[in-house]
Amino acid sequence: MGVSDKKSGSDLMLKLVLSGIFIVYILVLFKIILFKYMSPADVFTNIINGELSGFRSFNIKPFQTFGDFMDIARRGQFLRGFSNILGNMLVFMPMGYFIPMLFRRLRKPAAVILTAVLLSVFFEISQYLFYLGTSDIDDVILNTLGGAAGHGCFCGMSRFIKCKRILYIITIILSGICLAGAFIVALNEFGYILGINNYEVRYEGKENIPEEKSDYEGTFLRIDAEKIYFYSSYVTEQGAEKDFVPIINLNVSERTKYILQETEEDKKDIVINYRVLSKKEAEQIQPYFGVSIWNNGEEASTVVFKQMQSGDGQMIQTSGDSKSDNNISDSGRINLWGNIDEITINGFVLNMGTTEELENGGSIAQVGIGENAVYVNVRLQSDTIYKKKIVHDAIGKNVENMSSSRDELKTDMTVSIKGYKDNDIFVAEEVEISIFTFMNK
């Protein structure tokens, strides 16, 4: 076998390796874009049964999501803010040099970019048709930019590297770098969804808190004159809902036990630590920490402080410069939600709901029960707008929206309302009824 034959065989082997990587790359694309939430088998079964369900949304307004991610980045969540932008570009960069390397007829820039556009559009349409995620024109733009950047790398390499074998090797290395970058983003942002992260929750010091459910859950304000003051529900400093939530006070004494719940995350576990505080340390806890309180009838026996989180995942630790999200809309109107407790002549009584952020980054939406219930008198007007949201899945993403009327309001219904406060009355300008069909199956 001559030298040229050896080179030819070596080139062929490298091209086969590159082809194998390309096939794996395409499979990875399908996994992280189309099958984040559902397996291919589940999708196929749903299609056969004609019971499509899941989550879908559609955005055809260019650059709308860019501003959202920039806002998140400005609040300190840089990786989170740019994960979608960088992820979409990095994951499509290999497309820009795989295509010209493996398909001679598609080496022109227009052919590569068109292929990236068509493949991206296919993914976005598929997500919408089969309820597999968000279909967004911005994703098409970012994917195309990634493909163009990848083709730019190919053109640059081809100009300076004439040896096909070296070009293959560099392409393989470059593919690994791009896929590793995309994997890191996916690991940090979508690890739980993709089944990459398998964190376990460990508790330390849990013996310091009672086993039974706490008597009160709310938002800490202060300890003053042998009393602890707190809102009877979860609120944020800037949240308008606190105007409707009563402030409760309980006696404390030297027998009261104070605990600080702290959460740490390492490479393998999420550690939740319950650390005992002195009375002096407890008095220095700043307002708007979450609080769980066990009461023995005469005084608070155990008080657990929890760092509350805003909607964007930032910890609320101080009352001076909170960056938390709140429920005041851009128009200055207040947004509340909860269950209808009673229908009245002028409207209804709302058992107001709140959202408790959990240690693992999730949250629980709940309405108060017993001592923790917060009731708001809601007044309806002649021009109040009524809407209905039908939710078909447990994650609240497969949704139908339609108009409604006041006649559909009934007790125990979950509603979201927008309006303003008039003394002790909430005046509703918009009422949206939520119907959860999956709970009746």
Side-chain angles (χ1 to χ4, degrees):
M1 182 181 292
V3 176
S4 60
D5 292 334
K6 290 182 178 180
K7 288 185 178 180
S8 178
S10 178
D11 291 346
L12 179 60
M13 181 61 67
L14 287 172
K15 187 171 183 178
L16 288 174
V17 171
L18 196 63
S19 299
I21 295 175
F22 178 67
I23 292 172
V24 172
Y25 164 70
I26 293 297
L27 293 175
V28 169
L29 277 185
F30 273 80
K31 171 62 179 175
I32 66 178
I33 296 178
L34 291 186
F35 302 116
K36 291 192 295 288
Y37 309 107
M38 301 175 66
S39 69
D42 291 334
V43 175
F44 180 76
T45 300
N46 289 342
I47 294 173
I48 295 299
N49 296 334
E51 298 177 354
L52 293 177
S53 63
F55 156 54
R56 72 176 183 180
S57 65
F58 195 69
N59 170 48
I60 58 174
K61 182 179 179 181
F63 309 113
Q64 180 172 313
T65 57
F66 285 70
D68 296 337
F69 293 123
M70 290 296 291
D71 289 339
I72 294 173
R74 280 195 292 268
R75 291 198 294 267
Q77 303 290 323
F78 183 85
L79 181 58
R80 180 183 174 190
F82 285 100
S83 63
N84 189 45
I85 295 175
L86 293 176
N88 278 316
M89 292 186 66
L90 282 173
V91 82
F92 256 71
M93 274 190 69
M95 187 67 62
Y97 47 78
F98 271 133
I99 293 174
M101 286 290 292
L102 298 174
F103 307 99
R104 286 182 172 272
R105 295 181 179 180
L106 298 177
R107 286 193 171 183
K108 293 183 178 180
V112 173
I113 292 175
L114 180 61
T115 303
V117 170
L118 292 177
L119 183 60
S120 182
V121 169
F122 165 77
F123 282 137
E124 300 306 308
I125 292 176
S126 297
Q127 287 182 95
Y128 186 80
L129 291 178
F130 302 115
Y131 291 81
L132 296 174
T134 301
S135 302
D136 198 326
I137 187 64
D138 287 346
D139 289 343
V140 176
I141 295 172
L142 290 168
N143 293 341
T144 304
L145 289 175
H151 189 262
C153 292
F154 168 78
C155 292
M157 291 188 300
S158 299
R159 178 174 297 181
F160 297 102
I161 302 173
K162 303 303 181 181
C163 177
K164 186 183 295 184
R165 189 179 357 168
I166 296 177
L167 192 60
Y168 280 145
I169 293 173
I170 292 178
T171 302
I172 292 171
I173 295 173
L174 189 60
S175 301
I177 294 173
C178 287
L179 290 176
F183 178 80
I184 291 171
V185 172
L187 180 65
N188 282 277
E189 297 303 315
F190 310 110
Y192 288 103
I193 295 174
L194 296 174
I196 300 171
N197 290 343
N198 292 302
Y199 287 123
E200 293 184 2
V201 178
R202 285 194 294 113
Y203 296 91
E204 295 182 358
K206 197 173 183 179
E207 68 276 4
N208 293 316
I209 63 174
E211 293 184 1
E212 64 270 17
K213 181 177 174 58
S214 61
D215 298 299
Y216 296 92
E217 296 283 335
T219 307
F220 173 71
L221 286 174
R222 66 185 185 279
I223 298 174
D224 183 29
E226 302 305 316
K227 287 184 179 292
I228 182 170
Y229 295 82
F230 59 96
Y231 284 107
S232 64
S233 187
Y234 292 101
V235 300
T236 59
E237 182 180 7
Q238 298 177 1
E241 77 280 357
K242 70 181 183 181
D243 293 338
F244 301 94
V245 179
I247 296 175
I248 298 177
N249 68 82
L250 297 174
N251 293 326
V252 295
S253 71
E254 68 278 359
R255 294 182 294 274
T256 302
K257 183 190 296 185
Y258 301 98
I259 311 290
L260 177 62
Q261 176 183 294
E262 300 173 305
T263 303
E264 297 179 0
E265 182 176 327
D266 57 28
K267 294 182 179 180
K268 296 182 179 179
D269 301 309
I270 294 175
V271 181
I272 299 175
N273 180 45
Y274 295 93
R275 180 166 64 87
V276 178
L277 303 177
S278 66
K279 173 71 176 301
K280 184 177 181 180
E281 289 175 317
E283 290 174 341
Q284 294 174 349
I285 294 291
Q286 301 203 24
Y288 295 95
F289 267 58
V291 68
S292 299
I293 300 178
W294 286 259
N295 187 43
N296 61 16
E298 297 180 359
E299 62 189 19
S301 57
T302 304
V303 178
V304 177
F305 300 101
K306 300 176 288 185
Q307 290 179 325
M308 291 181 66
Q309 292 179 316
S310 66
D312 61 9
Q314 291 178 296
M315 287 290 186
I316 303 173
Q317 300 187 38
T318 67
S319 61
D321 187 26
S322 174
K323 301 295 185 182
S324 66
D325 292 343
N326 55 62
N327 58 351
I328 302 177
S329 66
D330 293 337
S331 63
R333 292 308 189 229
I334 300 171
N335 304 327
L336 299 180
W337 75 275
N339 290 349
I340 297 178
D341 184 73
E342 178 187 351
I343 302 293
T344 63
I345 296 176
N346 297 320
F348 57 86
V349 178
L350 180 75
N351 183 1
M352 192 175 76
T354 58
T355 301
E356 177 187 2
E357 300 291 340
L358 302 177
E359 296 87 359
N360 62 2
S363 62
I364 296 178
Q366 57 189 352
V367 293
I369 299 175
E371 295 289 343
N372 291 311
V374 178
Y375 296 102
V376 178
N377 290 314
V378 179
R379 186 172 72 220
L380 302 173
Q381 305 181 107
S382 59
D383 58 349
T384 297
I385 299 171
Y386 299 92
K387 299 179 179 180
K388 182 160 56 177
K389 178 174 66 176
I390 302 178
V391 185
H392 296 293
D393 64 289
I395 59 175
K397 294 186 174 181
N398 180 8
V399 175
E400 294 181 61
N401 296 289
M402 58 190 68
S403 60
S404 183
S405 68
R406 180 171 178 172
D407 295 336
E408 293 195 63
L409 297 177
K410 295 180 176 61
T411 56
D412 294 327
M413 274 187 166
T414 299
V415 295
S416 299
I417 55 178
K418 297 180 182 180
Y420 58 91
K421 185 179 181 183
D422 182 10
N423 294 320
D424 294 330
I425 303 294
F426 185 91
V427 181
E429 297 179 321
E430 180 180 304
V431 177
E432 182 180 68
I433 301 169
S434 295
I435 306 294
F436 303 99
T437 60
F438 64 92
M439 297 181 67
N440 300 321
K441 293 181 179 180

